[in-house]
Amino acid sequence: MPIRKHKPFPNHFLWGGAIAANQTEGAFNQDGKGLSVDDVIPYIKPDQHGKMKMSNPDLKTIKEAKAGTSGNVYPKRWGIDFYHHYEEDIQLFAEMGFKALRISIAWSRIFPMGDELSPNEKGLLFYDRLFDALLAQGIEPVVTLSHYEIPLGLAEKYNGWADRRVIDCFVRYAKTVFKRYNTKVKYWITFNEINGILMGPFIAGGIITDRLKEDQLIQTIYQAAHHQFVAGALTVKACHTLCPDAKIGCMIAGVSVYPRSCKPEDVLAAMNEERRTLFFTDVQVRGYYPAYVRRFFTEHNMQIETQREDATILKEGRADFVAFSYYMSSVAEANKGELPVGRLFSEVKNPYLKSSDWGWSIDPQGLRYLLNILYDRYQKPLFIVENGLGAADKIEPDGSICDDYRIDYLRAHIEQMKEAIEDGVNLIGYTTWGPIDLISATTSEMSKRYGFIYVDQDNEGHGTLERKRKKSFYWYRNVIASNGEQLD
Ligand code: BGP
């Protein structure tokens, strides 16, 4: 008998995929849904300078988007019309053998402006039907409460999470869905990529940045993050009471950071850059602010307003598991100055790595590294809730789509997950990003495709919406059927 090099993935490992309401559902104004921040984000045509940027629209741009006078298109308003195609799509996920599907609830479908006192029943009904369809196929819903889709009403009225009153709005929304779905959902996630607020204060925090003076922006972002921490902790507590069988996790955009050289200054720069992200999990998992961030606040002359009860709330509302997305790694170099708002990490090129066509470095070993960093630090179950390759797929004359590049990318990452499990990491699941093509978060385009399933639609929203299986569809089906053993 050959000796198995790697322990197999644990039984009940949650293989599947991850999508988000704002990038798939469409039906942006149907059945009582209000606008979300994403409904005013236009499709950005790629420019020569890196395609990884997020829109932070000003008040004028938002007004034009609402009035329809900008001449732009807003693809997140139509998504891939999952709202009307979910049954067919779930059928395809079931055919691949999915154990889990990560989705998000569009907050503005439940509370259209965000601050109403009672929910929109039609919005709640949609998710009832969606969860029932998943459960009927034996697919576990993993549900994010806020995935870059805060109601636009909260952004306009309160400047989003900058205002403490939004905590109550969020907790009311969370309690509503906990009560409604407590027999259907066992895995909840509070905020998608909570550290994304450093990159996209509008999308991730509902903050309209031109309302602020330049020197107020960074302080406002950390203030908003504090409100999210408090809201998240209250939500964790509410979940434990209202859904005693469920687990609730936090989530970050995970990035492994390497020093540019072994020069001690570069190593410290890497540590500091890594802490920009780990700060968010430190607070949510440990339940208190780490000392290093207090120094950062002092040195930047920032005062974060807190209330006396916040410390207890944070302590009592710690996340049950740590979820993260992983796409790439970063290289840090000393004396480059502070990273500006709009950037989550440095953009120093790593000469040892290849990049995707969108300039995202491809680093499977970085995933093993990050899994170890997170597990050593927290000793909590880890869940990779996004990973994948955005690429422009080509349909062959015979109608097939041979996305070997996607298979290679995912295979290499799964191999490193096995290594991490052998290192001792407690990894509970893997949901690849965009198992069906969807609208890009950063650029709102359709041509950056992640799916195992192709969707016939272009960047302007033209197409039949027909779904087609790509080569990777059959490959992933075998991966799941063999519990991660068959990767060829
Ligand atoms: C993460 C987001 C997702 C997703 C993914 C890929 O940051 O949580 O919503 O879209 O990145 O990014 P993009 O769509 O820009 O390629």
Side-chain angles (χ1 to χ4, degrees):
M1 276 268 285
I3 298 173
R4 187 194 289 280
K5 184 166 172 251
H6 300 293
K7 279 189 216 162
F9 285 92
N11 294 335
H12 311 298
F13 188 75
L14 293 167
W15 294 100
I19 60 175
N22 76 82
Q23 292 166 260
T24 55
E25 282 179 8
F28 78 107
N29 57 3
Q30 285 181 30
D31 294 334
K33 181 183 173 296
L35 289 178
S36 90
V37 287
D38 269 308
D39 295 323
V40 296
I41 299 288
Y43 158 54
I44 305 169
K45 298 210 169 67
D47 59 21
Q48 288 103 306
H49 316 285
K51 296 152 190 166
M52 168 86 191
K53 60 177 185 193
M54 276 194 169
S55 272
N56 287 302
D58 55 20
L59 279 165
K60 183 169 160 276
T61 313
I62 295 170
K63 214 169 145 196
E64 285 170 357
K66 285 172 74 179
T69 54
S70 69
N72 286 322
V73 293
Y74 299 91
K76 289 174 185 162
R77 294 184 183 183
W78 56 72
I80 52 164
D81 199 25
F82 182 71
Y83 195 74
H84 298 107
H85 286 251
Y86 71 93
E87 284 170 316
E88 172 191 352
D89 295 342
I90 288 171
Q91 195 64 45
L92 288 163
F93 299 145
E95 200 182 313
M96 276 187 280
F98 275 24
K99 312 285 182 217
L101 182 73
R102 175 177 175 232
I103 62 125
S104 65
I105 295 178
W107 182 355
S108 61
R109 228 179 251 298
I110 312 300
F111 289 93
M113 297 296 287
D115 61 355
E116 294 89 344
L117 297 179
S118 50
N120 170 32
E121 178 58 26
K122 282 192 179 162
L124 288 167
L125 267 175
F126 170 67
Y127 295 102
D128 264 323
R129 292 199 303 267
L130 176 59
F131 296 144
D132 290 345
L134 287 168
L135 295 170
Q137 296 285 358
I139 300 176
E140 200 73 70
V142 177
V143 181
T144 310
L145 290 165
S146 184
H147 189 130
Y148 294 161
E149 56 217 340
I150 176 170
L152 185 63
L154 294 179
E156 292 183 314
K157 192 162 161 190
Y158 302 91
N159 219 15
W161 283 101
D163 192 315
R164 191 168 175 110
R165 285 172 293 178
V166 171
I167 296 176
D168 284 347
C169 302
F170 183 77
V171 174
R172 187 177 311 119
Y173 154 61
K175 284 184 176 167
T176 303
V177 296
F178 290 156
K179 281 185 204 148
R180 178 79 171 215
Y181 307 122
N182 62 4
T183 57
K184 301 184 183 184
V185 178
K186 293 208 201 95
Y187 295 91
W188 295 93
I189 292 171
T190 47
F191 297 98
N192 179 65
E193 296 187 338
I194 189 168
N195 53 333
I197 200 166
L198 297 172
M199 182 167 65
F202 181 68
I203 287 183
I207 299 169
I208 302 171
T209 49
D210 68 317
R211 282 174 168 163
L212 304 164
K213 293 200 196 97
E214 216 181 307
D215 61 351
Q216 288 176 316
L217 182 56
I218 190 69
Q219 156 130 355
T220 305
I221 286 176
Y222 278 96
Q223 183 67 60
H226 178 73
H227 296 149
Q228 290 185 317
F229 291 146
V230 173
L234 289 167
T235 301
V236 167
K237 260 184 104 172
C239 182
H240 289 158
T241 311
L242 297 169
C243 315
D245 298 333
K247 299 274 177 228
I248 180 159
C250 59
M251 191 219 165
I252 49 164
V255 183
S256 32
V257 187
Y258 309 134
R260 174 99 164 82
S261 75
C262 53
K263 200 162 71 174
E265 288 85 347
D266 283 350
V267 175
L268 282 169
M271 179 184 83
N272 286 331
E273 188 172 315
E274 195 172 68
R275 281 176 166 178
R276 269 167 65 86
T277 282
L278 294 180
F279 156 61
F280 289 85
T281 29
D282 280 352
V283 177
Q284 295 174 97
V285 180
R286 292 171 169 165
Y288 57 89
Y289 273 60
Y292 62 81
V293 90
R294 298 202 180 279
R295 176 175 182 177
F296 173 81
F297 290 160
T298 308
E299 287 181 355
H300 290 77
N301 205 17
M302 282 160 49
Q303 279 94 37
I304 302 302
E305 279 175 32
T306 59
Q307 292 193 358
R308 190 189 286 231
E309 66 271 24
D310 291 359
T312 313
I313 293 172
L314 294 181
K315 205 163 151 195
E316 291 179 351
R318 284 173 289 170
D320 297 326
F321 62 90
V322 180
F324 65 98
S325 61
Y326 179 80
Y327 294 93
M328 64 191 109
S329 56
S330 167
V331 176
E333 188 175 4
N335 304 321
K336 282 276 179 188
E338 292 280 335
L339 284 174
V341 170
R343 293 246 303 274
L344 201 49
F345 45 84
S346 339
E347 284 166 23
V348 179
K349 203 166 163 36
N350 187 331
Y352 301 101
L353 300 176
K354 291 196 178 124
S355 297
S356 77
D357 290 345
W358 271 259
W360 293 18
S361 66
I362 300 176
D363 182 11
Q365 290 184 86
L367 176 58
R368 174 182 179 187
Y369 175 80
L370 184 62
L371 281 162
N372 276 279
I373 292 278
L374 292 173
Y375 196 64
D376 284 353
R377 200 169 178 112
Y378 304 121
Q379 301 281 303
K380 289 272 183 197
L382 302 182
F383 196 162
I384 302 166
V385 292
E386 286 185 32
N387 173 236
L389 180 72
D393 294 326
K394 190 169 138 248
I395 305 187
E396 302 298 332
D398 67 356
S400 61
I401 300 157
C402 296
D403 54 343
D404 290 297
Y405 36 89
R406 182 166 294 112
I407 295 173
D408 291 345
Y409 178 101
L410 294 171
R411 179 194 297 117
H413 285 78
I414 295 172
E415 276 163 358
Q416 294 301 316
M417 283 155 49
K418 285 189 178 185
E419 294 287 348
I421 291 171
E422 197 169 25
D423 292 334
V425 168
N426 177 9
L427 180 62
I428 59 171
Y430 179 64
T431 53
T432 66
W433 177 250
I436 182 164
D437 295 342
L438 39 66
I439 310 292
S440 157
T442 46
T443 59
S444 292
E445 68 195 303
M446 187 69 206
S447 41
K448 188 180 186 187
R449 296 173 182 272
Y450 285 86
F452 304 117
I453 301 161
Y454 186 89
V455 176
D456 178 30
Q457 180 173 253
D458 69 12
N459 292 329
E460 271 83 28
H462 308 117
T464 62
L465 289 175
E466 187 200 344
R467 276 64 170 154
K468 267 173 180 293
R469 296 164 186 80
K470 303 181 194 175
K471 186 173 176 187
S472 56
F473 180 98
Y474 303 100
W475 172 82
Y476 197 46
R477 189 173 67 179
N478 286 339
V479 171
I480 298 177
S482 63
N483 199 22
E485 290 299 291
Q486 198 183 319
L487 298 179
D488 297 333

